[in-house]
Amino acid sequence: MSISEKVKGFLGLSGPFSKTAAYLAEHGYNARYMQMLEELLPTLKSKRDTEDCKALIAQGYLFRGELKKAEEHFTGVDISLMSRESRPAFANNYVLCLFLLKKEGQMLKTFGENESYILQDDTLLRRRSIALREFANGDYEAAVTVLVKLMSEADSRATLMADICLVRTMLRLDMYRQADEIAHRQFDRYKGKFELTALVASLENSIRKGLR
């Protein structure tokens, strides 16, 4: 039995996303996974499944590091038509995408429009969004405090990208040595991830300049 089949059985996955979810568990956010979602989208019958699929595509591009493409797909999702359980993660990841694109004004607007979903559950994603809101409002100390706590709780292998958020915030406070320590520990995992790779390279360059 393949890993994907075991995952399907263990998680009890069913419905239109069972195959793509199992594939993701085994292979990650690769090009084939994105292709599978794109091929699945026009076959879906319900509005809920359609919007959920569009949301998965948007978030897939985000986790692959294709940020501009991710934003295009995020804007095309009607969150009110998504399944209720999928809305919070989608809204929080939309906020992250805008932060990574350095669109703080749009990020605050999106936060306000989706606040009920963003703050719905006490999750790591929610805490990250709160930190990013503090960043956008210029309260970098508060953002650092939240993100440091988040980093101490989150698995570094997860796709929270709290390390990028923290380093970028630390640079606003001239915390170059602390940012450098995090970058050395964490940033290798962003190699080969399109715009994310360029973003962390830019942050590393800012750290080097600050340490001179």
Side-chain angles (χ1 to χ4, degrees), residues 120-136:
Q120 180 174 312
D121 304 309
D122 184 16
T123 63
L124 299 179
L125 296 178
R126 169 187 171 171
R127 295 177 208 175
R128 183 187 66 197
S129 291
I130 290 172
L132 300 186
R133 180 179 62 182
E134 299 293 354
F135 178 99

Side-chain angles (χ1 to χ4, degrees), residues 105-125:
Q106 181 62 32
M107 186 183 79
L108 287 174
K109 181 174 182 291
T110 299
F111 193 111
E113 293 171 347
N114 297 282
E115 187 169 2
S116 61
Y117 305 125
I118 291 169
L119 303 180
Q120 180 174 312
D121 304 309
D122 184 16
T123 63
L124 299 179
L125 296 178

